[in-house]
Amino acid sequence: MTADPSPSSSSAAAAPSVKGVARALSQHHRAVVGFLFGFFVILVLYTTASGQFGTTNTIVALRSTPAEQNARTSPPPPPPPASSSAPNNNSAQGAVHDMENGKKDEAAKTMGQVRIEDKNVPGTEMNKTTDNVQTNRTDLSSQTVNEASDRMEEELIRQELGQDGDKNESNVKHGAPPKPVCDLSDPRYDICEISGDARAIGVNRTILYVPPTAERGADGQEWAIKDQSRKYLEYIEKVKVKTLSAAESLVAPECTSQHAVPAVVFAMNGLTSNPWHDFSDVIVPLFITARAYDGEVQFLVTDLQPWFVDKYRLILANLSRYDIVDFNKDAGVRCHPRIVVGLRSHRDLGIDPARTPRNYTLLDFRMYIRDIFSLPPDGLGIPYKEANKNASGGVDGGTGKRKPRLMLINRGRNRKFVNIPEISAAVQAAGFEVVVVEPRRDLRLEEFSKAVDSCDVLMGAHGAGLTNFFFLRTDAAMLQVVPWGHMEHSAMIFYGVQAKEMRLRDVEYSITAEESTLYEKYGKDHPAVSDPESIHKQGWQLGMKYYWLEQDIRLNVTRFAPTLHQVLRTLQE
């Protein structure tokens, strides 16, 4: 007979079963809690990510570090040179040749790939200093982030300005044709402006623009322009400006020198060697084009003229603090953040304030020139008034007061005065002190500018010598003797208008036929003497022959005397 199980044995058997259930419930509870916690974390992350990237209507402003701000505000440096030494002539030409011939297969294989050399690349010596500058390249990830940040910032600015039709679409279209960099529409000059990766190769007279990757198209664009302010001059060689295609960009010549400042490419030849053309064709257009850079620009000069650089060195050195580059002989690949090819020109020896970056006028230009040559400030009056401020009595009148000084410019070849002694005596008799000069091309402007500044009147026949009116003081007078041959219009548009714009007094004296040596040479019945209009109707070449090249002037001092008295009264006002 078997014994019944005791209560103690039954409770002992049930204990393991209860413990197992409790353990299972505990594990299940932990699993549920873990799941809920994980779900909550995922939900928070998803919500955060959606808030930053899921909408285009929210702009998140991040405070940049000073270094990042500097990087964004300064122009991006051009790609570094492959070596610190400039290549020889053949290497630069060969690189351009390879690029222009395409290397299409290689370009197609490497399309979309970016190769960055993670090393310090030595830069070449900057013209302003003698210290070597080294630029450290950042790694690929850092560069990618910066480029993406810059593109995002640019896109937000575009949206803020309302330039987008749809804010969800980018304005940059891959493969879109590059925008033109050259403007050929002006009747006087052509101009090309490149901002970004601009590379200049002097020996080839070539400027290359390597567009950003996103803006590269299948085809490039190319222009050939004359880098002077008179684009119709036949003997100015052209400079080639080329926007590279996507394929050409991958095989573009490497930079051999990097420069932190913009560059202006212009020709120094043409009609220069005549002071009027020196100023009208080069110096004034260069002022219009480069003055706004405040000296932080470098000049790459094609057809460089050493005499021009020497004569106008103070002006050139003020417009640019950097050495002038003889571009025709430059064998390297110069990289600048911006390159301007050509010179802007508004009109003959003139400035249109509405078309200049800072609304410069021709008066501003005259003041600028006077400042460069350390002439007295504009607050001073004309010289004879300043000298006589504390004196009493009339202009002469025996009081010892200084007379007004008249500089008589005599031309050396044509349109010259053939009776200079007689004219000088008449000027003195009218109450002037007279100084007779015959300017030469090698004239030292540092000294001559001061001589002009000391005068109250600048007198000369219509011609380049009157260009020295830039050195006169405000309210001084220019007395222009207009040769025979209906030249009053030329006298006004080439000198008279400019004198008035610069707050100078413009007085003109037109000679008669009898005062022209054409009268002596051809007689009174020759059309050049009796009917100038018939000569002009036959073309400018014939007018040039008679009235500009063959004519000299014999002033009738009796007829001229009232004009001298008119000038004297004008100065006394």
Side-chain angles (χ1 to χ4, degrees):
M1 187 175 180
T2 60
D4 294 332
S6 65
S8 60
S9 62
S10 295
S11 60
S17 176
V18 172
K19 290 181 179 179
V21 171
R23 188 181 299 108
L25 288 174
S26 175
Q27 292 174 350
H28 178 73
H29 176 68
R30 285 197 299 271
V32 170
V33 171
F35 172 80
L36 291 175
F37 180 78
F39 178 80
F40 177 77
V41 171
I42 292 172
L43 181 61
V44 170
L45 292 175
Y46 176 79
T47 303
T48 303
S50 298
Q52 288 192 2
F53 304 108
T55 177
T56 61
N57 296 325
T58 302
I59 300 177
V60 180
L62 301 178
R63 182 176 299 274
S64 303
T65 65
E68 291 171 337
Q69 291 174 354
N70 292 336
R72 291 183 181 178
T73 56
S74 61
S83 64
S84 59
S85 59
N88 58 30
N89 196 347
N90 294 332
S91 63
Q93 292 178 340
V96 174
H97 177 75
D98 291 342
M99 177 201 67
E100 292 181 343
N101 285 322
K103 291 192 176 181
K104 304 290 186 179
D105 294 338
E106 178 183 351
K109 291 178 182 178
T110 59
M111 185 71 71
Q113 298 180 1
V114 181
R115 295 181 299 173
I116 302 294
E117 295 180 2
D118 188 15
K119 64 180 182 180
N120 293 334
V121 181
T124 59
E125 180 180 352
M126 299 292 269
N127 290 315
K128 188 177 179 182
T129 64
T130 57
D131 297 328
N132 290 329
V133 179
Q134 290 190 336
T135 55
N136 295 325
R137 301 289 301 271
T138 59
D139 59 24
L140 177 59
S141 61
S142 142
Q143 180 178 351
T144 304
V145 170
N146 288 337
E147 290 179 354
S149 174
D150 291 341
R151 286 196 296 270
M152 180 181 295
E153 183 177 5
E154 181 182 359
E155 187 66 23
L156 291 176
I157 293 173
R158 288 176 178 169
Q159 293 176 6
E160 189 71 20
L161 294 174
Q163 296 179 357
D164 292 339
D166 184 354
K167 293 185 179 182
N168 291 323
E169 293 183 1
S170 170
N171 283 333
V172 178
K173 294 181 174 59
H174 292 268
K179 56 186 177 183
V181 297
C182 294
D183 182 2
L184 315 183
S185 63
D186 194 278
R188 295 184 64 88
Y189 67 92
D190 294 331
I191 197 85
C192 298
E193 297 184 77
I194 301 172
S195 294
D197 189 347
R199 310 183 187 188
I201 307 171
V203 291
N204 291 331
R205 300 176 76 96
T206 299
I207 309 297
L208 302 177
Y209 171 49
V210 183
T213 304
E215 297 179 13
R216 294 174 186 173
D219 299 315
Q221 290 179 293
E222 186 172 326
W223 300 264
I225 74 164
K226 296 179 179 180
D227 55 337
Q228 231 259 24
S229 64
R230 295 180 181 271
K231 68 181 183 181
Y232 55 82
L233 292 179
E234 296 181 356
Y235 41 85
I236 300 291
E237 292 189 41
K238 293 183 177 180
V239 173
K240 183 169 69 175
V241 179
K242 185 175 178 63
T243 296
L244 302 186
S245 66
E248 291 170 332
S249 296
L250 297 174
V251 291
E254 293 290 337
C255 303
T256 59
S257 64
Q258 298 183 71
H259 305 270
V261 297
V264 175
V265 180
F266 68 94
M268 208 173 261
N269 62 339
L271 299 175
T272 54
S273 77
N274 169 309
W276 188 89
H277 284 285
D278 294 347
F279 276 87
S280 183
D281 298 357
V282 178
I283 295 175
V284 171
L286 188 60
F287 174 86
I288 294 171
T289 306
R291 177 67 182 115
Y293 293 112
D294 291 325
E296 289 300 314
V297 63
Q298 187 165 31
F299 297 150
L300 313 182
V301 180
T302 60
D303 302 304
L304 185 142
Q305 307 294 316
W307 69 264
F308 190 101
V309 174
D310 181 61
K311 182 173 183 177
Y312 299 107
R313 59 186 177 276
L314 288 184
I315 301 174
L316 296 172
N318 191 278
L319 286 171
S320 170
R321 298 187 182 98
Y322 299 83
D323 291 343
I324 293 175
V325 176
D326 188 345
F327 200 44
N328 290 13
K329 299 178 181 179
D330 191 45
V333 181
R334 296 178 155 271
C335 291
H336 292 265
R338 179 180 178 86
I339 295 180
V340 178
V341 183
L343 297 175
R344 294 182 177 85
S345 176
H346 301 157
R347 56 182 170 85
D348 287 324
L349 200 65
I351 299 175
D352 180 359
R355 299 170 62 187
T356 58
R358 298 179 183 174
N359 302 113
Y360 296 122
T361 65
L362 199 60
L363 175 61
D364 293 325
F365 177 76
R366 181 173 70 84
M367 297 304 178
Y368 174 75
I369 293 297
R370 289 182 57 83
D371 183 61
I372 287 176
F373 286 92
S374 302
L375 301 179
D378 188 49
L380 291 180
I382 54 178
Y384 104 99
K385 283 188 176 181
E386 286 295 319
N388 298 333
K389 268 186 178 180
N390 299 323
S392 59
V395 174
D396 194 0
T399 62
K401 293 180 63 176
R402 177 188 149 176
K403 298 177 181 179
R405 181 176 296 161
L406 184 149
M407 177 176 284
L408 175 56
I409 294 182
N410 195 27
R411 295 173 56 85
R413 292 181 298 174
N414 45 50
R415 283 168 282 144
K416 62 180 178 289
F417 297 114
V418 297
N419 59 332
I420 279 288
E422 191 178 0
I423 297 172
S424 298
V427 170
Q428 290 175 324
F432 292 91
E433 175 187 341
V434 63
V435 179
V436 180
V437 298
E438 185 174 317
R440 304 179 309 277
R441 192 176 79 172
D442 60 352
L443 191 70
R444 306 300 292 184
L445 288 182
E446 290 86 342
E447 294 78 21
F448 189 65
S449 63
K450 291 176 174 57
V452 176
D453 169 74
S454 71
C455 295
D456 306 282
V457 183
L458 182 67
M459 173 184 166
H462 171 75
L466 294 176
T467 312
N468 292 293
F469 61 1
F470 287 119
F471 304 123
L472 288 173
R473 298 188 190 183
T474 298
D475 290 331
M478 179 189 70
L479 173 53
Q480 181 176 192
V481 176
V482 183
W484 180 247
H486 292 183
M487 294 180 64
E488 285 76 13
H489 178 68
S490 297
M492 179 56 66
I493 64 172
F494 293 144
Y495 294 100
V497 170
Q498 291 82 348
K500 294 173 181 177
E501 289 180 358
M502 296 189 298
R503 292 168 54 190
L504 304 175
R505 302 175 189 269
D506 174 47
V507 180
E508 295 178 5
Y509 172 82
S510 295
I511 71 171
T512 62
E514 290 78 11
E515 292 175 280
S516 170
T517 57
L518 295 176
Y519 188 91
E520 303 171 7
K521 184 175 183 179
Y522 293 106
K524 64 178 181 178
D525 296 325
H526 191 281
V529 177
S530 62
D531 189 9
E533 192 61 32
S534 68
I535 298 295
H536 289 300
K537 287 180 178 178
Q538 298 180 55
W540 66 267
Q541 293 90 343
L542 201 58
M544 175 74 73
K545 165 182 160 60
Y546 287 119
Y547 304 124
W548 269 266
L549 300 181
E550 290 191 12
Q551 178 175 208
D552 291 325
I553 298 169
R554 187 184 302 278
L555 275 188
N556 181 335
V557 294
T558 302
R559 181 175 181 268
F560 183 55
T563 301
L564 290 172
H565 291 296
Q566 175 192 347
V567 174
L568 193 58
R569 289 192 301 271
T570 300
L571 295 176
Q572 292 172 344
E573 293 176 357

